[in-house]
Amino acid sequence: MTPLGELARLIRSKNAGPFELTFDIMFEDSATYERVKQSGMVNREAVASRYGLPADKVKFFWCDPACAIKASIPRPYIQGDLLDSDGHGGQQYAPLMDIQIP
Amino acid sequence: MTSSASEEVRVLAPNGVLGSGFLEESFEKGLAQKPHFIGCDAGSTDPGPSHLGSGEPAFPREAVRRDLRLMLLGARRLKIPLIIGSTGTAGGDPHLAWGYEILKEIAVAENLQFKVALIHSEQGKAYLKKRLAEGRIKPLDPAPEFNEKVIERSSHIVGMMGAEPFQRALQAGADVILAGRASDTAIFASFAELHGIPSGIAWHAAKILECGAAAVVNRKSPDCMFAWLRKDHFVVEPPNPEYHCTPQSVASHSLYENSDPYKLVECSGTLDLTNSRYEALNDRSVRVTGSTFAPAARYTVKLEGAELAGYQSIVIGSVRDPFIIRQIDDWTTRLIERLHARVKQVYGDRMKPDQYVLNIRIYGKNGTMGPLEPVKEIRSHELCLLIEVTAPSQEIASSIAGIARHQGLHLPIPEWSGLITALACPYNPAHLDRGAVYRFNVNHIVEPDDAYEMFPTEYFAIDGATQRKLPQ
C-alpha cells in the first residue's frame, strides 16, 4: 500500500468560484494514474467520506489526457464569508493524501 | 483584418493577470510572431469579496501600470487591438475608472494616439429589481438567497460579460478595450470568433490563454503564452524558450479553477472538452483538436455581488498551558458566553447579540479546515487563537475586541485556583482593527433581452493628454 500523496505529482485544492471547492490529483505518468484508477480506492464515495459529505454533493471526474483526477464540493462557507477560513481554498486537500493505494 | 487572418488568428497573452508581471524578452518574442491581438485578464473573484465590495483593486497600481504600459506600447507598435477584461480585479465602475486613469497616464507619458472602448459591467439596482420581478434572475447551485433587500444592501453588483460586447467594440474600431467584469475566456474568444474561428476552437484556446504561461510544464513565474488558432485546431507554445508545453500540461490546464473539467459554461453556450485531443507538435508546442461548443438555448449573464458584512477587529493570542489546551472547546465556548454577557452590561439594548458576530478560530486544531477537518484529536503543545469581532461600526468592533482581550486573558479553568493569565498576546495594542469587511451575496444568472443591454460602452479618442468622447 502507498499513500496517494506519494503517488501523485501534485494534489491541490482551489476555489472554483466563491461557492465551490475543487481538488486536482495529478500524476506524472499514465502508469501511476492507471494504477490509482484501477485500484478502486479513489472515487466519489471516498472523497465524500473524507469531507463528511453525502456522495451526491461531490462531482468526480477521471481526466485521462491530463493523467489527473478531479473532484469538486460545495464550500462549507462562501469564500471570504465571516466564518470562512481559507479564502483561496488552497489548504483543503490534506485529507486526500493518505488514501491508501494497493 | 487581412485575409490570412481569417485562416489563422494569432494571439499573444502576456500573462494570467494584469499586474502579475511577465518577462519583456518573452513579450518581444511574442510580438515578433505577429499576433493579431493582445489579450489579458485583469481580475477574478479569487482575491475575495472585499475588492468588489470596497472598489479597491487587488494588484498594486504601479505593478498594473508596468504591465499595461508594455502591452499598450506593443499593441500600438504593431497596430493591433489590446483587449483587457475584468479591469481592476472586480470590474465594477470604480475598478474600471481606476484602470482608465492608468491607461490615460500612460498615453500622456508616451504620447500615444488610439481609440479606447470602456465597457461597463456594473449593474443598476433598478434594472436588477425589474429582472428579478420578471423571474429572469435564476439561482445557480449552490446560491444564497437573492431578493430586493439583497440588491438594496449591495455595494456593487456586476454582470460577467460574454464575447459579444467585446466583438461590438472591435467592430466599432476600438484599438484598446478596457472592460468591466468579463468571463476570462471571452476576452480571447471574442476576437477569434469574430474572425471566423469555430467556437469550440476559439473558447478552448481562450481557456488556455487566459492564464498566460500557466499551461506550461513547470511555470516558475508569470509569463507569456502564444497561440495559433485555425479552422480545425489550435496550437499553443510559450515564447519563453525555457518553458515548454506537453499534451499533458495543456490538458491539465482545463482542470484549473473549474468545478467540471470537461464542460465550461459561458454566456452563449457550453465549451465541451470531452473529445479534445492533445498532440505534441514538437518538444515545446501542442496541437489541440476535437473541442466543441454547444450554443445555449437562452443567453445568460452571471452576476457577482458584494455587500458590507460589518467592521472587524481581531485579537491574536496563543495558549501553551496543557490544562487549557485539553479543554479548549469548552474554554472558548465559555469565553464567547462571557463576552456576550459583558457586551450586554456595557451596551444594554444598544447592541443585541444579532447585531454583532463573535468567532474564535483555533489554529493547531481546525483553524485551516473548520468543519471539514477530519482530525479531531489535538496533539499540539500550543494553540493559536484568533478572536474576531464583526460589528456595525469600527468603534464598536474595536471596543468589543478590547473586552475580548481582557476576558480571554483571565478566563479561569477548574485546575487552577486564583487569577490566571491564559493568553499570550504578541501585539500591542493586543487587538487589530481590520476595517470594513464584505461578503459575496449572489450566485445567480440573468436572462437579458440581448448580450449587450447589461454592458453599455463608451468610446474615447485618446491623443496624448487629450481625450474626446466619441458618439456610440
Side-chain angles (χ1 to χ4, degrees):
Chain A
M1 297 291 232
T2 313
L4 192 59
E6 285 178 26
L7 290 175
R9 76 174 167 87
L10 177 65
I11 303 180
R12 67 185 177 193
S13 59
K14 191 79 207 280
N15 295 333
F19 299 88
E20 285 182 280
L21 268 179
T22 192
F23 303 97
D24 299 335
I25 306 168
M26 308 169 100
F27 301 93
E28 196 66 56
D29 53 64
S30 58
T32 316
Y33 169 74
E34 285 299 328
R35 173 180 164 191
V36 173
K37 192 173 178 179
Q38 301 309 325
S39 75
M41 302 306 289
V42 183
N43 51 36
R44 187 188 304 272
E45 288 71 23
V47 174
S49 78
R50 297 268 156 171
Y51 290 92
L53 294 166
D56 65 359
K57 289 285 179 197
V58 178
K59 297 177 188 169
F60 186 89
F61 308 91
W62 295 100
C63 309
D64 296 352
C67 295
I69 304 166
K70 187 168 191 63
S72 302
I73 63 172
R75 275 179 143 274
Y77 302 107
I78 297 170
Q79 178 200 355
D81 228 8
L82 290 185
L83 299 183
D84 181 32
S85 55
D86 188 355
H88 303 93
Q91 277 296 310
Q92 303 301 310
Y93 56 85
L96 300 172
M97 292 170 64
D98 63 355
I99 294 177
Q100 298 296 319
I101 307 296
Chain B
M1 178 74 33
T2 61
S3 60
S4 66
S6 305
E7 297 299 313
E8 176 179 279
V9 168
R10 294 182 295 276
V11 192
L12 174 58
N15 61 15
V17 196
L18 187 69
S20 66
F22 53 85
L23 295 178
E24 275 190 69
E25 302 90 296
S26 309
F27 185 65
E28 283 299 328
K29 280 201 165 68
L31 290 177
Q33 297 180 118
K34 297 187 170 58
H36 294 107
F37 74 101
I38 298 171
C40 188
D41 172 30
S44 171
T45 53
D46 211 39
S50 66
H51 301 287
L52 179 56
S54 69
E56 291 291 324
F59 276 82
R61 194 176 207 281
E62 283 307 310
V64 168
R65 187 185 154 93
R66 181 268 181 190
D67 284 3
L68 189 57
R69 175 180 168 273
L70 291 172
M71 290 181 203
L72 186 60
L73 288 173
R76 297 319 302 140
R77 178 157 35 112
L78 268 59
K79 300 273 180 282
I80 55 172
L82 170 63
I83 309 178
I84 308 282
S86 300
T87 303
T89 305
D93 278 346
H95 308 93
L96 188 59
W98 181 84
Y100 186 40
E101 282 303 313
I102 299 173
L103 186 78
K104 285 190 289 188
E105 281 175 20
I106 299 167
V108 175
E110 305 291 341
N111 191 27
L112 297 173
Q113 292 77 38
F114 55 90
K115 178 176 175 178
V116 59
L118 300 183
I119 311 180
H120 294 263
S121 66
E122 178 120 11
Q123 301 303 307
K125 293 185 175 180
Y127 171 79
L128 292 171
K129 286 179 187 172
K130 174 169 166 281
R131 287 288 181 240
L132 185 69
E134 292 164 348
R136 287 166 65 175
I137 296 184
K138 294 179 173 157
L140 296 167
D141 180 30
E145 171 78 11
F146 188 70
N147 53 40
E148 283 218 354
K149 285 182 184 161
V150 176
I151 295 172
E152 211 44 64
R153 287 202 302 261
S154 295
S155 313
H156 297 283
I157 300 180
V158 293
M160 190 188 283
M161 72 185 74
E164 294 80 0
F166 289 102
Q167 289 165 344
R168 187 171 64 172
L170 288 166
Q171 284 172 316
D175 301 308
V176 177
I177 299 175
L178 269 193
R181 187 66 172 127
S183 156
D184 302 349
T185 36
I187 299 162
F188 297 93
S190 58
F191 186 102
E193 271 189 331
L194 196 59
H195 294 280
I197 299 297
S199 297
I201 306 288
W203 287 93
H204 192 180
K207 171 65 192 162
I208 306 299
L209 288 162
E210 60 105 344
C211 280
V216 305
V217 170
N218 192 11
R219 195 203 72 176
K220 295 178 197 81
S221 62
D223 209 359
C224 310
M225 187 66 100
F226 200 93
W228 294 259
L229 283 62
R230 301 182 185 118
K231 295 287 182 197
D232 59 352
H233 73 275
F234 69 91
V235 172
V236 283
E237 183 186 288
N240 183 338
E242 289 182 14
Y243 289 156
H244 66 286
C245 287
T246 64
Q248 190 180 345
S249 77
V250 175
S252 297
H253 188 68
S254 66
L255 277 70
Y256 193 61
E257 290 181 339
N258 296 317
S259 67
D260 183 325
Y262 294 114
K263 302 233 162 101
L264 287 86
V265 180
E266 301 287 348
C267 298
S268 57
T270 300
L271 173 64
D272 189 337
L273 308 182
T274 311
N275 297 312
S276 301
R277 286 190 301 119
Y278 306 82
E279 306 156 72
L281 265 193
N282 51 49
D283 58 1
R284 300 190 58 245
S285 59
V286 170
R287 177 167 59 194
V288 182
T289 53
S291 313
T292 57
F293 190 88
R298 176 100 209 203
Y299 196 91
T300 59
V301 173
K302 193 171 151 192
L303 295 176
E304 290 171 356
E307 65 182 54
L308 186 72
Y311 295 82
Q312 203 167 68
S313 295
I314 62 170
V315 178
I316 300 172
S318 60
V319 178
R320 180 65 178 77
D321 179 341
F323 293 159
I324 302 176
I325 290 174
R326 74 186 181 197
Q327 61 187 304
I328 195 65
D329 288 330
D330 178 63
W331 190 87
T332 51
T333 304
R334 286 194 291 120
L335 177 56
I336 297 257
E337 285 165 7
R338 281 278 192 107
L339 287 175
H340 282 305
R342 180 74 182 128
V343 168
K344 194 175 175 194
Q345 250 179 12
V346 171
Y347 287 95
D349 284 344
R350 288 175 299 145
M351 191 47 49
K352 299 201 177 72
D354 63 352
Q355 290 176 278
Y356 64 98
V357 177
L358 300 176
N359 181 35
I360 302 181
R361 303 176 191 273
I362 308 173
Y363 288 91
K365 179 175 180 270
N366 63 358
T368 306
M369 294 191 63
L372 293 183
E373 178 57 65
V375 177
K376 302 298 177 198
E377 184 194 352
I378 299 175
R379 292 199 187 151
S380 325
H381 66 281
E382 67 174 359
L383 298 174
C384 180
L385 302 189
L386 220 154
I387 305 168
E388 284 167 13
V389 183
T390 311
S393 74
Q394 188 64 65
E395 189 190 348
I396 297 171
S398 193
S399 301
I400 299 177
I403 294 171
R405 177 196 71 89
H406 189 251
Q407 294 286 331
L409 214 52
H410 301 305
L411 189 74
I413 55 169
E415 289 83 344
W416 300 121
S417 63
L419 186 68
I420 69 165
T421 304
L423 276 182
C425 295
Y427 298 121
N428 179 258
H431 76 269
L432 305 163
D433 291 337
R434 296 222 320 109
V437 291
Y438 295 85
R439 62 163 64 95
F440 285 124
N441 61 7
V442 54
N443 192 29
H444 292 63
I445 48 159
V446 181
E447 298 174 345
D449 281 341
D450 60 46
Y452 310 103
E453 71 174 31
M454 297 171 71
F455 308 105
T457 304
E458 298 175 279
Y459 296 94
F460 294 91
I462 306 274
D463 186 348
T466 67
Q467 303 101 40
R468 185 166 48 91
K469 185 157 184 170
L470 300 168
Q472 298 297 301

